[in-house]
Every structure is written in structure tokens, then in C-alpha cells.
Amino acid sequence: MALKFHQQIISDLLEDSNGGLVILSSGLSLAKLIASLLILHSPSQGTLLLLLSPASQSLKSRILHQLSSLSSPPPAEITSDLPANHRHSLYSSGNPFFITPRILIVDLLTQRIPVSSLAGIFILNAHSLSETSTEAFIVRIVKTLNASAYVRAFSDRPQAMVSGFAKTERTMRALFLRRLHLWPRFQLDVSQELEREPPEVVDIRVSMSSYMVGIQKAIIEVMDACLKEMRKTNKVDVDDLTVESGLFKSFDEIVRRQLDPIWHTLGKRTKQLVSDLKTLRKLLDYLVRYDAVSFLKFLDTLRFAESYRSVWLFAESSYKIFDFAKKRVYRLIKASEVKSKEHVKNTSGKKRKLKGDNASVEAVGGATATSGDTGVVIEEVLEEAPKWKVLRDILLETQEEREKQTLFEEDNNGIVLVACKDERSCMQLEDCITNNPHKVMQEEWEMYLLSKIEIRNVQTPQKKKQKTPKGFGILDGVVPVTTIQSSEGSSVCRQEHEALMAAASSIRKLGKTTASGNNNPEAQVDKASSTKGKAKKESSSLRRPIRSCSKKKTNSEPEIVTGSENEEKVSEASTSGPREASDAHPDGAKKLPPVHFYALESDQPILDVLKPSVVIVYHPDMSFVREIEVYKAENPLKNLKVYFLFYDESTEVQKFEASIRRENGAFESLIRQKSSMMIPVDQDGLCMGSNSSTDYPASSTQNSLTRKAGGRKEIEKETQVIVDMREFMSSLPNVLHQKGMKIIPVTLEVGDYILSPSICVERKSIQDLFQSFTSGRLFHQVEMMSRYYRIPVLLIEFSQDKSFSFQSASDISDDVTPYNIISKLSLLVLHFPRLRILWSRSLHATAEIFTTLKSNQDEPDESRAIRVGVPSEEGIIENDIRAENYNTSAVEFLRRLPGVSDANYRLIMEKCKSLSELASLPGEELAEIMGGHKVAKSLREFLDAKYPTLL
């Protein structure tokens, strides 16, 4: 059943034949809206193209699911594997198709598409567009050839549409659109429909343990200290530097966007502060997401990987983070205290005692003594996550309600859906439900200890070769390699380290190793989309009563509050496929309902697939909350109960509430922009796009002379540029087309852009330049350009919003070093003297440079450019450009002779006109030409060697 506000959006779009831009709140089922528009499309209208990007693949899968559920044929996808004639027939069929912008723009430029038969274009990721994007390039060409084709752009990320100056207006002008459709969650039609039959909501606030509260407080204090240091630089807008904004990933983008233009002028401390703020945000997220042992593993990784350069580790409150994290997992006690307690209770399995070489398990004292006879042992704490017990209580309560009530409704299948942040959380929660939570923590603890032994074993053969430690992942239970001496700064640290090693050794000896921490076979779950044979009826019309608890322990009964405003009860998350847990309690005493664990990062339509009757939002997420609201509005007769689990007074709550405020603020800004937005139109009322404002005057008019007979304008000839197919991943072809150049897309073996018969350009972005030097690909590319073109050019293109510099002047060394980018470029130029390097500040600057280079030059030959570097069946390069001056076969033969190298073969070619002349030179002249008697002797011996015969 289509929602009423979806129907209203569709009717608004159909009213305007030119199309429009639709911005929805996150989670309001954008896939269903697009699927409904596809169903309404008729082949008689023409072909409909849906532009795909890597970020819109999940939206594509949701659209296909919606179409399959409505028994509608899904659109096919046009790929580059299809032959040109087949693609032409598909473009003329009148059906909808998925296609990538790269394939579509090439087909448009090569005129393989009958543009007159296009009905319109759907753009699924309007928030990621700009004036120079390939999508804008496509729309400009289509609108030029077929003004009646509509363009409908969609986005469900309003925050991204307000980043930068007038982004929404610039996007609409680039897409030739005039209508903007805003549909926030607080819009009257949306709110009325979603709140007409709301689900039963239970908001559960779980108290964090005292150590978790202490860690969170310390992290916030350290983050605030780092923000204060950032304010002192006077480089960033102070309004953006708040702890609340630092909880989101967009904070990194905001700070980097302000600092990128002056990044090369910043000191190392300021650059490290930007990285530290990102690390601290991860710590806050991992504190409430992962268990205590995994959090300690991550801290160990940070300690070893960033200890010598990190700023936050030296903050006043940073030691509390490490101290409280250890206390959540273990604590150190004296061995003498253990002995005094042994006659009171049995502590086997709970304490790992330090052993000497000849001492027994109980003889701990003398084994760990460093300055005396007092030793320490590790006592396990293994604090469980407070939400674990609450989750089990909810599942037991759900099962009790199912058993007490007689169910007559067939649509209630009794499935309980648990939504978590990521796949690892799903696996661990499933393990906690099917097994004892303490057993899960014990396995994590044992894997943590065993990783210590692995590090010690790796350190032994590498003592002589100390290398800079590199961090390892948190999930594989491995901490970075480092020397024991660096981690044993004091006697207490040595005792703690030795106690951990002893505990790990005892685990290995007892044979308690596991294959993997969380990936044991029992924890694997079925990823089927629905429960088989376990669907049971359930009715939960009664609301959960309000219960308050007086105890504030880690696993105490949480305070539960009943509410109906479920939108304000969630935090940012993302997940993987559904998982089904076992029905039985570990001890078999109590039965649990069928449970599916769903990772939010997978972004699958799990609610429509499983149709659960109970949803437990373990890691709250604003988008998923909206999906629950839409699901209930589409199924008003279905009983749905939703539990939200929050850590009380945590950043989890703050982050979720802030995400709602940020989205509402973005829509309010868009509403204000819409009231004052100015989109230029032509005489026919059609949008003129962004050409009029972004086109730059041609080079011939920039330096125009005042003396022109009768004001006569010179006739400008059409210039063309041959572009490699792979370059359409960038925005430069779009900018060149805006400059009035004709773009010819072909597959080039040598170079990226052919400007003239003698000029070949290899374009490199900054990231690609570093990668090409590392892999050695750039050397081969420049060698091929130098071989076939008279003027080989290396274009180094910087980003317009970043600094026009590789590094600061203080970082440039006086000597040539193999790891310095300036040194690498210098060596490249020395090796290829004819290579020209162009430095471009932006895409538009590159277009100006190309225009200047093409002046007084002939136009490139497409057929010749395609054949350059492509060998024939006989292995000979056809139409070799260098063949007019050089015998390329002879040059290749010369370079393979003994003693001939890249350093002297050019000099040999200048002194000797042919190989026969080279063979007749005496040894003294060879030594003078080749630069040494040794290489000359090796060549002479090779040339004078007798050929063995049978005579």
C-alpha cells in the first residue's frame, strides 16, 4: 500500500514535465517512491535511464526488492560488456534501465544513443553532485539535444545538501531543474500519516557501569582539551568546534574543508589534533558498542601505534581511559593475598597465578619479585555489557507473553528482530543468547591473552631490526609489534606484563585455545531471510508497565519508560544480513522466541522481508527508526512492539538526539533557501542550467585587440581533444566540454589526453601520483610517451579546495632521498629530459592550460592515436610516430646489448648513425662514448665473439 505522502510526491513530480529535485528525510522509503514511479512509466513515453553510482548500489537493491514484491519486472542494467549495436537497441526499446554515468557519457559522445527517444533520467544520489560531475555533463548534453526530456533527482541526505555555499541551488542549475520538493519528517502530511497508527514503543534506559561512566567522562575531557588546542590555531571556525559536532563523521569533513587550503602551512601538532579528534570519536563509539575486552584491545593498539606522535595521550585525563578500561577486564592483586584466601574459597579458574621456571601454580611470590619477594597475580573481572542482560530479559518477557496469550491473528509470526550496528555485534549478541555471557567474555579474554604470546614470539627474531610499529585491527585480537623494553618503564609495568604472560601460558598449557574469538562454529547463524518452521502467533496489545529500579549495578534491572515518540529514541548506526538465534536457553530451562539479528550497515529491506512482531533496536539509528514508522504505517492492522535500548546519560543518547536536530536544521535551511532561490530560465521557460555562469571566455577573446575592422568577430574553429575512456571517472572532460572543446572518447594505450599530433598528456591527481611512483607505473607511462610523442607532458592536478603544494617548505630536504616526492620528480625529469611537467591548481586551470597548448597546433588524428602503442600481429608498432627519425627496432636492439644502459644509449645514437658503424668502432672510442672501459670491453667482446658452427 503506497503511503499518501508518497502519492503526493509522485503527483507533484508528474505535474512538471521538466522534472524536479526531491529531498526526503532519511528513512522515509526513497526506494518505494522510485519503484512506484518506475511502475507508472510506459514504454510509449520513451526510454528511462537510472544513473547508478557506487554509493547507490544499496538503493538499487531496495528498488529491485520493491518491484519484485509488487510483481513488476525489474529494470535491466546496461553494462560495458554489451556490444554497441545491442546497447543501441536497448536505448530505443522504451524500457527503464540502470546504467553507470561513465558508460552513458561515452555513448552520448560517440552518438550511440538516440537522444530523441529518451523520456528522462533518474539521478539517485543528488547530494553527491556538483557542477563538474559526470551526471551534470550527461544532463547538459541530453538537454541540448532533447529539451523535452525530464530529469528527476532524489536524495535522502538533507545535511549533505546544505554543505558548502548554495549547494542545492548550484545542483539544480547543473541539472537544469526549477522545482524543489522538500519532505521532512515534521511535514504535516508525513507526521500525520506516520503517527496515525504508531507502534507500541518501550524506551529502556540502561545504566552504565561506573567504569564506563568514568571512561566516557575522560574521553569527553580529552576531546574538549583537543578542541581548545584547535581554537588556539585561529584556523578553524570556532562555532564548529564543539563536542557535540565532534560525535559525527561529518565533523572531520568540516574541519578538513576549512584546513585543506592551508594544510601545507600547518604544523605537525595541528595536523595530529585533527587525527586525534577522529580517534577519540571512535573511542566513544566503541565504548557503547563493543565489550570490555575488545575495547581494551583497541586501546592497546592506539598505545603502541600512536604513542610517540599522538597529542591526546598526553592530556591530563587520558590515563583514566586506560586505567578504567583495564579495571573492566582484570585487576592486579598480590600473591600473598591469594594464599590467605585459598582456605576460604576455591579460586581455580578465576585467578591466573604467575609462575617461575621451577615453581608450581601456587608458588607465585618469588616468581614475580623484582625488588623483593612480593609477586602479583591477575584476577579476572570481565565486566559484561549492561545491555546484554536487558536484552535477554526482553526476550524472556516476549516469550512469556506469547505463552500466556491466545493468538488468533495470522499476520503475527512471533519473530523478534534485533538491530545492531555491525556484523560483529550481531555475532557476539547471538553468542550471548545461545551461550552463557560469561563464557563469551572468557573466550574474548583468552584470545586477548594468547595475542600477547604471539607478540612475544614475533619480537624474539626481530630484536635486531627495530621497525616503526604498525597498528593491527581491533577485531582480530592482535596488538602492534613493539619491544618489551618500551612497555616496561617501571617495575609495576614489568610485573603486570609478566603476570599477563604467565596467565596466557597457563591457558595455552591447559588447551583452552579457540579457533577465533567470535567466529566459532556455534556462533554462526543462518542468514535466511525468514524463519522456517518457527513462526508462532502472538498478540502484544498491552503496553509494558513503567518499572523503576533502585539498584545501580552493572546488570541491575533498568528503568523502563513507555513512550510513543519513537523517533527521538535512537543513535547513528549501520548493518549486515539477518541472523537467527537458537530458541533454547543455554541451560535448557527457559525457551526464547525466534530471534533474527540484523546489521544496520547492510542496508537491506529487512522489515518487509521478515515482517517481525517485535523489534529490539539495540544500537539506535535515526534512519532505521523512520523505516519502522513507515513499516507500521503500511501495515496499520499489525501489532508491532518496539524496544529501544539506550545507555542512560551517554553520548549514545546525545548523538541520536543531535542527529535529529541536525536534520531538522538542514531542512529549515533548505526551506529558507527555497524562498529566495533564483534559477535562470530562457524565453520558453526552460532552465538555462549552469553554462551561462560557469563558462569561461575563450582564449582568443581574452586578449582581443581593439582594432577590428567593423567590429568583426573572428571565426573560431572547433577544437577537439582525444580522451582516454578511463578518464571519464574524473570531471576534467566535463570542464573541457564546457570550454567548447569537442571530446572524442577512445581507448588509448599511451597517454590520457591527446591535444595535437605531437602533444600527449598523462594526467595525475595527487593521490594517483604517489601511487604511480610507488608501483613504478609512472616510469613506464612516461617512457612510452617519450617514445611515441615529441612533447610528452605530465600534468599534476591539484584539487581546487586544497593547498597548491605537496608539502611545506620546511619539509623539503636539501638532498635527494628515495622517499621524497620532490626527489622522485627530479630523478624522473633527469631520466627523461624531453618530459614537460605542468602544475594545475584546479580543473578549470587545466582547461585553460589545454586551450593555450592547443593554440597554433594541428588537431589530433583519432585513428592514429588509437594505433599508437598497439603492436600488430607481427609485433611491429603500426604508424610509429618516432619511425620518421629513428629505427625503433634498431633502438630496441641497441638497448639490449651488453654494456648499453639508459644512461648511455642516447649518446651512442648521436655518435653512431647505424649498428654497423657501432660494430666497427675501436675500443678506445667505445669507452669514450659509453663512459667507461669496463662497459666498452663487454660490448666489444660481445661483438667480436665467434659464432660456433658445425664445420
Side-chain angles (χ1 to χ4, degrees):
M1 181 183 69
L3 299 175
K4 291 184 178 180
F5 69 88
H6 277 179
Q7 298 175 3
Q8 183 62 37
I9 297 174
I10 293 173
S11 63
D12 292 343
L13 285 174
L14 295 179
E15 284 179 3
D16 191 350
S17 60
N18 191 46
L21 172 61
V22 179
I23 302 178
L24 281 171
S25 283
S26 177
L28 292 187
S29 191
L30 177 60
K32 295 180 180 179
L33 174 63
I34 298 175
S36 301
L37 287 170
L38 291 178
I39 294 175
L40 294 176
H41 175 74
S42 173
S44 60
Q45 300 173 356
T47 304
L48 176 60
L49 299 178
L50 293 86
L51 298 187
L52 280 177
S53 66
S56 59
Q57 291 296 327
S58 60
L59 180 59
K60 172 192 172 184
S61 62
R62 284 178 173 261
I63 294 173
L64 295 177
H65 171 77
Q66 295 297 331
L67 291 174
S68 62
S69 63
L70 298 174
S71 301
S72 178
E77 183 172 357
I78 298 177
T79 62
S80 58
D81 298 332
L82 298 176
N85 56 351
H86 189 193
R87 292 208 299 269
H88 185 276
S89 62
L90 293 178
Y91 290 137
S92 306
S93 63
N95 297 322
F97 295 99
F98 287 109
I99 189 171
T100 61
R102 179 184 171 187
I103 297 175
L104 181 56
I105 188 60
V106 171
D107 286 348
L108 282 172
L109 293 173
T110 54
Q111 299 180 357
R112 295 173 183 167
I113 300 179
V115 182
S116 58
S117 63
L118 285 182
I121 297 175
F122 278 12
I123 298 177
L124 308 182
N125 57 332
H127 50 271
S128 62
L129 302 188
S130 64
E131 298 96 326
T132 59
S133 61
T134 307
E135 289 84 351
F137 192 6
I138 292 171
V139 172
R140 185 169 68 252
I141 295 178
V142 171
K143 282 291 186 179
T144 303
L145 301 176
N146 184 6
S148 61
Y150 60 81
V151 178
R152 292 169 184 167
F154 304 90
S155 175
D156 57 355
R157 297 182 185 178
Q159 297 94 328
M161 296 300 297
V162 295
S163 62
F165 176 74
K167 180 175 180 178
T168 304
E169 181 177 347
R170 289 186 286 110
T171 301
M172 294 179 65
R173 295 179 65 176
L175 298 180
F176 292 76
L177 297 177
R178 295 186 58 193
R179 296 284 300 274
L180 175 62
H181 307 277
L182 302 176
W183 289 86
R185 170 63 177 81
F186 56 80
Q187 209 268 356
L188 185 61
D189 295 338
V190 179
S191 59
Q192 285 182 350
E193 186 162 12
L194 296 184
E195 296 172 3
R196 184 176 294 112
E197 295 289 341
E200 181 181 353
V201 178
V202 180
D203 179 18
I204 303 178
R205 302 299 175 106
V206 184
S207 298
M208 293 193 298
S209 66
S210 57
Y211 289 141
M212 293 178 68
V213 174
I215 293 174
Q216 176 179 278
K217 182 179 178 181
I219 294 175
I220 293 177
E221 290 176 357
V222 175
M223 183 179 289
D224 188 53
C226 292
L227 291 173
K228 289 180 180 177
E229 290 292 326
M230 287 285 294
R231 295 189 189 100
K232 293 179 183 179
T233 62
N234 295 326
K235 306 289 187 181
V236 187
D237 187 3
V238 180
D239 296 335
D240 295 330
L241 297 180
T242 61
V243 175
E244 181 176 293
S245 61
L247 299 176
F248 298 92
K249 292 182 180 180
S250 59
F251 177 78
D252 301 331
E253 301 174 2
I254 294 172
V255 174
R256 285 303 299 264
R257 186 167 58 244
Q258 298 184 35
L259 294 179
D260 275 340
I262 56 173
W263 188 256
H264 63 291
T265 64
L266 300 178
K268 293 182 179 180
R269 183 179 179 86
T270 304
K271 294 179 180 179
Q272 186 60 40
L273 283 172
V274 177
S275 176
D276 288 348
L277 289 171
K278 182 178 180 180
T279 301
L280 292 171
R281 188 187 66 246
K282 284 185 179 180
L283 284 177
L284 280 176
D285 187 23
Y286 291 173
L287 175 64
V288 296
R289 194 198 304 186
Y290 295 129
D291 59 273
V293 180
S294 298
F295 185 75
L296 182 60
K297 289 178 188 176
F298 184 63
L299 283 178
D300 286 344
T301 302
L302 296 178
R303 181 194 293 275
F304 291 106
E306 302 183 2
S307 58
Y308 63 94
R309 63 175 181 267
S310 181
V311 178
W312 73 272
L313 286 174
F314 299 97
E316 184 178 356
S317 301
S318 61
Y319 79 95
K320 297 180 182 178
I321 302 174
F322 293 90
D323 185 44
F324 291 153
K326 289 181 180 179
K327 290 180 179 179
R328 293 180 67 199
V329 180
Y330 65 88
R331 66 188 183 98
L332 297 175
I333 61 174
K334 294 182 178 180
S336 57
E337 297 180 4
V338 178
K339 291 183 178 181
S340 63
K341 295 178 182 179
E342 283 181 351
H343 67 280
V344 178
K345 62 178 181 178
N346 182 18
T347 58
S348 61
K350 291 295 288 182
K351 296 187 173 78
R352 312 291 185 189
K353 302 178 178 60
L354 185 61
K355 301 182 292 182
D357 295 336
N358 301 321
S360 64
V361 177
E362 289 79 18
V364 208
T368 59
T370 56
S371 59
D373 293 335
T374 59
V376 294
V377 294
I378 297 292
E379 182 178 11
E380 299 171 2
V381 178
L382 302 182
E383 177 183 282
E384 299 175 7
K387 282 187 179 182
W388 288 2
K389 183 177 183 300
V390 178
L391 176 61
R392 174 168 288 279
D393 292 342
I394 293 174
L395 294 176
L396 293 174
E397 181 179 296
T398 302
Q399 181 64 20
E400 291 176 1
E401 292 180 357
R402 293 176 58 192
E403 294 175 353
K404 288 180 182 179
Q405 299 179 9
T406 304
L407 305 179
F408 297 98
E409 301 179 10
E410 296 181 356
D411 60 334
N412 285 339
N413 52 19
I415 294 178
V416 178
L417 178 66
V418 180
C420 304
K421 181 84 171 178
D422 52 16
E423 182 74 11
R424 184 180 187 274
S425 299
C426 291
M427 296 177 65
Q428 190 173 63
L429 285 179
E430 193 273 341
D431 204 10
C432 291
I433 296 301
T434 55
N435 300 296
N436 193 307
H438 179 72
K439 180 181 177 182
V440 176
M441 292 299 298
Q442 191 69 33
E443 292 175 352
E444 290 283 349
W445 168 244
E446 291 175 359
M447 291 299 299
Y448 173 76
L449 291 177
L450 292 175
S451 66
K452 297 283 187 181
I453 293 184
E454 294 176 3
I455 294 171
R456 186 184 63 180
N457 295 338
V458 171
Q459 288 170 351
T460 304
Q462 293 184 356
K463 264 190 173 181
K464 295 182 181 179
K465 295 182 179 180
Q466 300 285 342
K467 292 186 178 181
T468 304
K470 296 182 179 180
F472 290 81
I474 174 180
L475 304 184
D476 54 8
V478 180
V479 293
V481 178
T482 185
T483 58
I484 299 179
Q485 289 80 2
S486 63
S487 62
E488 298 175 354
S490 64
S491 60
V492 176
C493 292
R494 285 196 299 271
Q495 289 181 1
E496 179 180 354
H497 178 77
E498 292 170 359
L500 288 172
M501 289 297 101
S505 300
S506 63
I507 290 177
R508 174 164 288 186
K509 290 179 181 179
L510 292 175
K512 293 185 177 180
T513 58
T514 55
S516 60
N518 288 325
N519 296 331
N520 55 72
E522 296 178 359
Q524 297 297 331
V525 282
D526 185 13
K527 290 190 177 181
S529 60
S530 60
T531 308
K532 298 180 180 181
K534 294 184 179 180
K536 297 185 180 181
K537 299 178 181 180
E538 174 183 340
S539 174
S540 54
S541 59
L542 298 178
R543 288 188 176 269
R544 182 184 177 95
I546 300 177
R547 294 185 297 180
S548 61
C549 55
S550 58
K551 298 181 180 181
K552 292 292 182 181
K553 296 182 180 179
T554 301
N555 293 328
S556 60
E557 192 68 29
E559 180 180 355
I560 301 177
V561 183
T562 304
S564 59
E565 295 296 327
N566 59 346
E567 177 181 315
E568 299 182 359
K569 320 291 185 205
V570 197
S571 124
E572 197 174 297
S574 177
T575 341
S576 166
R579 298 183 167 273
E580 181 180 352
S582 174
D583 287 358
H585 191 275
D587 54 11
K590 296 182 179 179
K591 190 177 181 181
L592 296 178
V595 183
H596 277 261
F597 293 91
Y598 167 65
L600 294 171
E601 64 187 7
S602 66
D603 197 19
Q604 298 176 359
I606 190 66
L607 295 174
D608 296 328
V609 174
L610 290 184
K611 299 188 181 301
S613 57
V614 178
V615 178
I616 301 175
V617 186
Y618 190 85
H619 292 139
D621 174 67
M622 180 183 66
S623 179
F624 188 65
V625 170
R626 305 271 174 76
E627 292 180 18
I628 295 175
E629 289 183 311
V630 171
Y631 169 71
K632 185 62 174 67
E634 293 177 340
N635 303 274
L637 301 179
K638 184 178 183 61
N639 292 325
L640 179 63
K641 193 171 186 178
V642 183
Y643 293 90
F644 292 104
L645 300 186
F646 286 95
Y647 280 118
D648 196 19
E649 298 181 356
S650 68
T651 55
E652 187 179 39
V653 180
Q654 183 182 2
K655 188 176 181 180
F656 173 69
E657 294 176 349
S659 64
I660 297 177
R661 288 195 299 269
R662 291 172 72 243
E663 185 184 85
N664 292 342
F667 270 112
E668 292 172 359
S669 176
L670 289 172
I671 292 172
R672 290 192 297 269
Q673 291 182 30
K674 183 179 179 180
S675 62
S676 59
M677 193 175 294
M678 297 181 65
I679 306 295
V681 296
D682 57 13
Q683 295 178 353
D684 298 327
L686 298 177
C687 179
M688 296 175 59
S690 57
N691 287 350
S692 58
S693 61
T694 59
D695 275 354
Y696 291 83
S699 59
S700 60
T701 60
Q702 289 178 354
N703 300 318
S704 58
L705 300 176
T706 56
R707 290 188 61 185
K708 289 186 177 181
R712 184 177 60 196
K713 186 177 180 181
E714 297 180 359
I715 300 176
E716 298 181 4
K717 64 176 182 179
E718 184 184 28
T719 60
Q720 62 184 21
V721 178
I722 299 176
V723 183
D724 185 34
M725 292 280 194
R726 294 174 287 270
E727 277 298 301
F728 284 93
M729 299 296 291
S730 68
S731 300
L732 183 56
N734 182 12
V735 179
L736 295 176
H737 187 267
Q738 286 182 343
K739 290 282 294 181
M741 297 184 186
K742 180 182 179 182
I743 306 299
I744 304 176
V746 297
T747 301
L748 297 177
E749 290 295 328
V750 179
D752 293 330
Y753 296 86
I754 309 299
L755 304 185
S756 73
S758 59
I759 301 178
C760 176
V761 179
E762 181 70 31
R763 174 186 167 274
K764 295 291 180 184
S765 63
I766 301 303
Q767 182 180 5
D768 191 22
L769 180 67
F770 280 84
Q771 294 176 353
S772 299
F773 268 124
T774 303
S775 63
R777 188 175 70 253
L778 181 59
F779 182 89
H780 175 71
Q781 291 171 338
V782 174
E783 184 181 25
M784 295 295 288
M785 287 195 302
S786 301
R787 177 177 177 181
Y788 295 111
Y789 289 93
R790 187 168 58 87
I791 306 177
V793 178
L794 174 62
L795 172 67
I796 301 176
E797 189 176 87
F798 290 76
S799 179
Q800 186 172 4
D801 55 351
K802 294 186 179 181
S803 60
F804 189 43
S805 173
F806 278 128
Q807 51 195 169
S808 59
S810 59
D811 295 335
I812 300 178
S813 176
D814 296 334
D815 300 328
V816 176
T817 57
Y819 302 107
N820 188 280
I821 185 65
I822 301 298
S823 300
K824 292 180 179 180
L825 282 173
S826 302
L827 294 174
L828 184 68
V829 174
L830 288 174
H831 197 75
F832 300 99
R834 291 191 296 108
L835 177 66
R836 300 293 180 260
I837 297 181
L838 297 178
W839 307 82
S840 175
R841 181 181 292 273
S842 64
L843 295 170
H844 295 287
T846 302
E848 292 291 339
I849 293 172
F850 280 10
T851 303
T852 305
L853 290 177
K854 285 184 65 62
S855 60
N856 302 323
Q857 291 283 338
D858 295 333
E859 295 300 326
D861 186 2
E862 178 183 354
S863 60
R864 193 174 187 183
I866 294 174
R867 289 195 298 268
V868 167
V870 181
S872 63
E873 296 180 357
E874 293 79 13
I876 303 174
I877 305 296
E878 296 183 0
N879 293 335
D880 195 340
I881 299 175
R882 296 288 305 280
E884 300 175 0
N885 302 321
Y886 297 100
N887 185 346
T888 55
S889 300
V891 172
E892 292 299 324
F893 178 77
L894 171 66
R895 297 183 65 180
R896 285 164 174 78
L897 292 177
V900 180
S901 63
D902 293 331
N904 58 19
Y905 85 94
R906 296 185 184 88
L907 187 59
I908 296 174
M909 292 169 59
E910 292 179 2
K911 299 294 183 180
C912 303
K913 302 302 181 183
S914 64
L915 290 174
S916 61
E917 182 180 348
L918 175 66
S920 62
L921 289 177
E924 291 77 10
E925 293 186 22
L926 277 178
E928 183 180 353
I929 294 174
M930 299 180 67
H933 289 279
K934 186 177 180 180
V935 291
K937 182 180 178 181
S938 62
L939 178 60
R940 173 51 58 192
E941 290 178 351
F942 175 79
L943 295 175
D944 295 342
K946 294 183 178 180
Y947 186 79
T949 63
L950 297 177
L951 299 179

